[in-house]
Amino acid sequence: MSAKITLEFVNGDVDAKPRSVTAEPEELLIDAARRSGLEIEATCGERGRCRSCRVKILAGNLPPPSIMDTVQLGHEEVQERFRLACQTRVTSDAKILIAPPKSEIGHKLMSLGGGRPEADHARMELDSGVTKYLINVELPDDENHQTSDEEEVLRQLPGDISATIPVEVLRQLPAALREQFGRVTVTTFLDEIIDIEAGDATGQKYGMAFDIGTTSVVGALIDLDTGVELVAVGGLNPQSPYGGDLMSRIAYVQEDPKRLQTLRAKILGALNGFIKEACEKADIDSRHIHKLVVVGNTCMHHIFVGIDPTYVGLAPYAPSVRRPIVLPGQELLLKTVPFARVCLLPIIAGFVGADTVAAALATRIYESEDYRALVDIGTNGEVVMGKRGRLMACSAPAGPALEGAQIRHGMRGALGAIEKVSIDGDIQCQVIGNTAPIGICGSGLIDGVAAMLDAGVLIESGLINIESRPKLTEKIARRLRVRNDRAEFVLSWSTESGNSEDISLNQSDIRQLQLAKGAICSGVMMLQNVLNIKNDQLKEVFLCGGFGNYISTRSAVRIRLLPSFPLDRVIYFGNAAGLGAKMVLLSEAERERATVLAREIEHVSLATHPDFQDIFVQALNFPPAQAEGGDEVDGAGNRQAGEVMTVR
Ligand code: FES
């Protein structure tokens, strides 16, 4: 069930022949290059701690950047399609340049401007704000000398650190000081003392970044000294049984204020579990996690802190707080990390929360000299559009379909999920883990519906057209059937699946997908409308989200998840909110930038806009197989030249 990938490596030598190699999906680029006979230098032992394995993806889908790509290569090189070969997994056919010369870094896609020298942006500076001091404290031993443990500790620390030790840390102090005869490690966050431990713990400085989505939660454990991501964790948001989307979760709380504590306990329990799991996998003590960054939409943010989200769900949908918040882990009841500082990014407005701020940071959209957009797809989708000096954002309530929920055979992007579907005389599915399929995740759903459109199985309104069978190939026609009075299309037969069931999409699945993609697309079209930007004025559209493994930009445009943008302008960016959270974990400068960004981005309310209904109806339908007359209408009400639609 797994499609092989063809990679073509070139090494920059004009006389050298390109080398082709077949790779498995998810294979590391560096391994594939070596199998092709080309050597890639790996100075740091493939740990993402140097730049020696740097490659440039010349053609093919661009794998989303990892935090180590961002740390080692810097934002500009990442946007110029450079990646670390030891950190990058292949997802599709691609042409790759090995060891590209430095002189290639000339073309700036998103210039920083201001004539900054190249060295300035080559790497992201690691400045987590967490500092550890190993000190030897003289224990008080003279009864006539008036002193205290606190004063003796402070005497050994630089003068710019706070003049007192917080009470919760003082409680640890007497035992810690005496365990190793006054040798202790003092941890500070900015200028505040947050922990004191016995002995030398200076080599253990860790942090975790969390993206709390309405349906899923993902986290990463990161070494704050090196920027290396040690472990990734994630799973379903355990609040999901209390409401699949934001409004139903808010309604759950509205009925009884005590329910806020139920939802809060669920997410805190999940985070404590993820922290424990990550520490076990990395073999570290959670005591050494001293900074957490948490991003999420406004509702997730409020529930996590313990603020009633009721009024976020009622017009005019105002949040209770927008500013950034920093709290000790123990105050938030995160018992696994009592001494860590938990940093929550600011909220923009309404449902457009800290996750959107993080995504804007990761994509650097605020530096763009041309119009760009980021489209963050999740149960609550968000769109940011604009350029340097003016950015607008809106929330697009898609529901959980694109994360695999409310789809009959839907599942998260985990082992056994169909993640890619292609059609060539028959249906081919690619499955995560290269195993027998047991369900379909978001990227597979988008591909599957695009394949149904290409085959002529679906019509523009979203109806599965059972009458189309005579026009289909025999194999495709067999997949189109009626079961229990419902039309459905089989992607994988029970003989091939891992649960002995046919895996199919039925009319109700298609309707759920239409509502989800219609919400996202209308968000994009609305911001185009407000900014009066035609499709061809958008230089790039970053498609972001952690659903499935990899979304096909062609399929996204084919089903009108996005308006008919030229495909070479749609860039899959992966989980931008998660990447932004990791950047803030590693850089206090990024955290400050987040505060400025949240103030500057203008919020657009979709539902109250007079053009919303018209735009939504248009966004709900699928585009014609071949744009008749070659035209589509964009959000700015302009006729656009038809493109990218092909019929097989
Ligand atoms: S080998 Fe050092 S970053 Fe890849």
Side-chain angles (χ1 to χ4, degrees), residues 42-44 46 48-50 52-53 84 86:
T43 310
C44 72
E46 303 179 19
R49 296 191 191 182
C50 69
S52 64
C53 66
L84 297 172
C86 73

Side-chain angles (χ1 to χ4, degrees), residues 247-322:
M247 288 317 248
S248 34
R249 229 164 282 176
I250 290 173
Y252 175 76
V253 173
Q254 278 168 345
E255 282 191 22
D256 179 353
K258 284 197 210 106
R259 291 178 171 183
L260 168 62
Q261 295 317 323
T262 307
L263 294 188
R264 184 165 185 239
K266 289 282 173 200
I267 192 62
L268 290 174
L271 254 58
N272 277 320
F274 289 137
I275 293 168
K276 202 160 158 267
E277 178 189 341
C279 290
E280 278 168 10
K281 283 185 179 160
D283 196 19
I284 69 159
D285 186 341
S286 67
R287 170 75 185 262
H288 295 127
I289 294 177
H290 279 112
K291 183 178 177 186
L292 248 72
V293 174
V294 176
V295 302
N297 60 55
T298 308
C299 180
M300 294 301 106
H301 169 285
H302 278 33
I303 293 173
F304 177 72
V305 180
I307 300 172
D308 184 355
T310 296
Y311 300 98
V312 184
L314 298 172
Y317 310 105
S320 292
V321 59
R322 292 201 302 144

